[in-house]
């Protein structure tokens, strides 16, 4: 008994010295070592945290702080039974602590869910989708992150990453070929991007799903242009890409911007096509002829070209508007107003402002255009005029720029009001999912009407509106004279024939009936199509008494009746096309064409992240592969 008492006294002095406190009778006191008194508290050291020294403070009358430390840090680990409670150390059954059990359970779950192959796939997806540098695989911090999260699994090396890129591109192309093989009509867009003395040619493909009528998009190529950019090299790229994906006979149009060299590509054969329709799309490669190569390699077949409607609207602002404003009396007022606006943007964007000014700009939600596009600039001007006079005055004072005068503010407000319809139309054309060729004509007609409505109330832009209306007629004349654009608009349920004059609707119905009668819709039941099959079993089946002619007449009446019901309908959703199979086929054929080349520009949206010094080791082929995999991840998943 004396030995036991001596042992308990020593242990008590180890824990809390000579001071009596609640920890003396606590069952977990052996996990702590007494260090010092601190008024009503005592300082102890946690033995479980060793070798890290962790000093804790707890009340002399309570051990709640220490118990919380065990629960949070050591998961409430089991304590040695207290001798005073009649339990001996030998009675401890040796079961694993809760901390060890949870740790083993976590390792078991991770081992079942995560394998090295799964980790490699996730890293591959992370690098491709976010355009990360390949050097991230060699960063020590990234390697420790993956190792710590996966309980020992390693980061793949760059050789494995390049192999997965090759395999992913092969799988993506195979899936895309299968998808495009079942599509009847497609549209392509093409553009060129140049940076760091390197030029790349981007081409994308777009189609409408026959069942859901949703727009689908995919990138077909992003090769580097090694030679001089000329019309024959671009034509060859377009032709080779179409052939590689077996869509040369399915492409309705190729949408490009209105600038050179694309204008030269199609100018070489558009003039001939106006004289001979059967030669449309035929092109001779002049360079190949001069080099004397084989004749079968000298012929290129290109689809009809569709000029970008959004680019045409931007040209109206960047060219026609500036010309009109420079010739009018408002030139000086416009120059002074925009100069001060650009000063505000430059101060916010390029100059290091103080924390208070930055916070003030954040609260105002001020838009600072970082991309030189008119619609972005318009939104930024719109935000500035929405500020109150006090807010604008304080902002100009903080940024140390010249304050806008009342007349300049009035000018900018009218500028925003007058050109709001044009900005809205530009946003419609640059959309991808809900934008069809049939949207162009109604949008332009509505744009002209809204501009004319504001002409009488305009104080500064009356003459400018007239100039813009003339520019719209000139730049969009080909859309109003194109039967394909008219059919695309008529087969869009949102517009039907409501946009046409009453005297022209009958002629348009006849054109739709003619086009529909020449098509065999895929949605027609088999019972209807089986009538055209030859079933000669006897003489009565062989001799004809005019039934074929009657059948043709009945079919024509059926087409006319379907067109009439469609024109008289009021539904605006694309779902109503399911009730008109021939009109649906016309919609798929003529509305597959996009009115804008904006989708191919989105292919370049992440190109800057791959054209940095850390990515210079990427060859042109792998640069193209990363871009294609990233863009097509929504159509052909990476994993």
């Amino acid at each position: 008994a004396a030995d036991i008492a001596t042992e308990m006294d020593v242990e008590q002095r180890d824990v809390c010295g000579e001071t009596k406190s609640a920890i003396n009778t606590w069952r977990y006191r052996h996990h702590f070592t007494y260090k010092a008194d601190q008024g009503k508290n005592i300082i102890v050291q946690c033995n479980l945290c060793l070798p890290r020294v962790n000093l804790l403070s707890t009340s002399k009358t309570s051990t709640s702080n220490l118990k919380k430390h065990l629960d949070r840090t050591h998961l409430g680990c089991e304590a040695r039974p207290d001798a005073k409670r009649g339990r001996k150390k030998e009675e401890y059954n040796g079961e694993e602590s809760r901390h060890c059990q949870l740790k083993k359970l976590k390792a078991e779950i991770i081992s079942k869910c995560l394998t090295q192959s799964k980790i490699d796939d996730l890293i591959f997806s992370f690098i491709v989708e976010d355009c990360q540098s390949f050097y991230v695989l060699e960063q020590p911090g990234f390697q420790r992150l993956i190792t710590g999260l996966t309980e020992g699994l390693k980061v793949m090396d760059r050789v494995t990453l390049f192999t997965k890129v090759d395999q992913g591109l092969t799988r993506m192309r195979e899936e895309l070929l299968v998808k495009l093989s079942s599509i009847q009509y497609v549209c392509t867009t093409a553009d060129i991007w140049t940076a760091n003395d390197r030029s790349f040619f981007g081409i994308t493909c777009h189609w409408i799903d026959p069942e859901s009528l949703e727009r689908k998009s995919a990138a077909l190529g992003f090769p580097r242009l090694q030679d001089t950019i000329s019309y024959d090299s671009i034509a060859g790229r377009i032709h080779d890409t179409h052939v590689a994906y077996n869509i040369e006979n399915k492409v309705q149009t190729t949408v490009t911007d209105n600038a050179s060299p694309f204008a030269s590509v199609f100018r070489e054969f558009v003039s001939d096509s106006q004289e001979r329709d059967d030669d449309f799309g035929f092109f001779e490669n002049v360079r190949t002829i001069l080099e004397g190569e084989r004749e079968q390699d000298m012929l290129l077949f290109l689809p009809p070209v569709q000029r970008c409607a959004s680019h045409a609207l931007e040209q109206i602002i960047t060219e026609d508007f500036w010309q009109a404003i420079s010739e009018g009396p408002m030139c000086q007022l416009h120059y002074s107003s925009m100069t001060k606006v650009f000063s505000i943007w430059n101060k916010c964007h390029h100059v290091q402002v103080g924390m208070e000014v930055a916070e003030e700009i954040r609260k105002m939600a001020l838009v600072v255009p970082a991309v030189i596009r008119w619609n972005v600039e318009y939104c930024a001007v719109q935000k500035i005029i929405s500020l109150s006079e006090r807010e604008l005055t304080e902002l100009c004072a903080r940024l140390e720029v010249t304050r806008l005068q009342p007349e300049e503010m009035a000018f900018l407000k009218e500028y925003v009001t007058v050109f709001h319809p044009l900005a809205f139309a530009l946003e419609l054309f640059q959309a991808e999912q809900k934008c069809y060729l049939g949207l162009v004509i109604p949008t332009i007609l509505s744009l002209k009407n809204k501009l004319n409505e504001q002409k009488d109330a305009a104080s500064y832009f009356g003459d400018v509106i007239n100039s813009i209306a003339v520019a719209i007629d000139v730049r969009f004349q080909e859309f109003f004279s194109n039967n394909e654009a008219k059919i695309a608009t008529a087969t869009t349920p949102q517009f039907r024939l409501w946009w046409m004059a009453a005297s022209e609707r009958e002629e348009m119905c006849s054109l739709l009936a003619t086009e529909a009668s020449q098509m065999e819709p895929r949605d027609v039941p088999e019972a209807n199509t089986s009538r055209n099959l030859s079933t000669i079993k006897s003489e009565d089946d062989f001799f004809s008494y005019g039934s074929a002619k009657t059948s043709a007449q009945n079919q024509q009446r059926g087409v006319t009746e379907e067109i009439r019901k469609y024109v008289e309908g009021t539904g605006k959703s694309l779902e109503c096309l399911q009730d008109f199979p021939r009109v649906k086929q016309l919609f798929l054929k003529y509305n597959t064409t996009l009115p804008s080349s904006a989708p191919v520009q989105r292919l370049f949206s992440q190109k800057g992240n791959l054209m940095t010094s850390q990515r210079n080791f990427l060859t042109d082929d792998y640069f193209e592969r990363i871009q294609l995999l990233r863009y097509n991840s929504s159509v052909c998943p990476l994993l």
Side-chain angles (χ1 to χ4, degrees), residues 312-313 315-317 319-321 323-324 444 448 464-477:
L313 280 182
Q315 287 180 317
I316 290 175
I317 291 295
E319 299 178 11
D320 302 311
F321 168 74
Q323 182 178 359
I444 297 304
K448 290 181 61 179
V464 175
I465 291 176
N466 293 331
S467 302
I468 291 180
V470 174
I472 291 175
D473 291 335
V474 173
R475 294 189 181 274
F476 288 91
Q477 180 181 3

Side-chain angles (χ1 to χ4, degrees), residues 256-268:
T256 66
D257 60 20
N258 305 342
S260 180
F262 287 103
S264 302
V265 171
F266 298 93
R267 187 184 301 124
E268 293 297 321

Side-chain angles (χ1 to χ4, degrees), residues 6 99 216 474 477 527 538:
T6 303
H99 172 68
K216 303 293 183 180
V474 173
Q477 180 181 3
S538 63

Side-chain angles (χ1 to χ4, degrees), residues 45-63:
Q45 175 183 305
C46 179
N47 299 329
L48 296 176
C49 294
L50 293 175
R52 181 173 64 90
V53 177
N54 188 9
L55 299 179
L56 303 172
S57 176
T58 184
S59 173
K60 293 180 180 180
T61 59
S62 174
T63 60

Side-chain angles (χ1 to χ4, degrees), residues 305-325:
V305 62
Q306 174 66 56
R307 298 300 176 88
C308 178
S310 62
H311 192 199
L313 280 182
E314 289 181 349
Q315 287 180 317
I316 290 175
I317 291 295
T318 57
E319 299 178 11
D320 302 311
F321 168 74
W322 284 105
Q323 182 178 359
I325 201 70

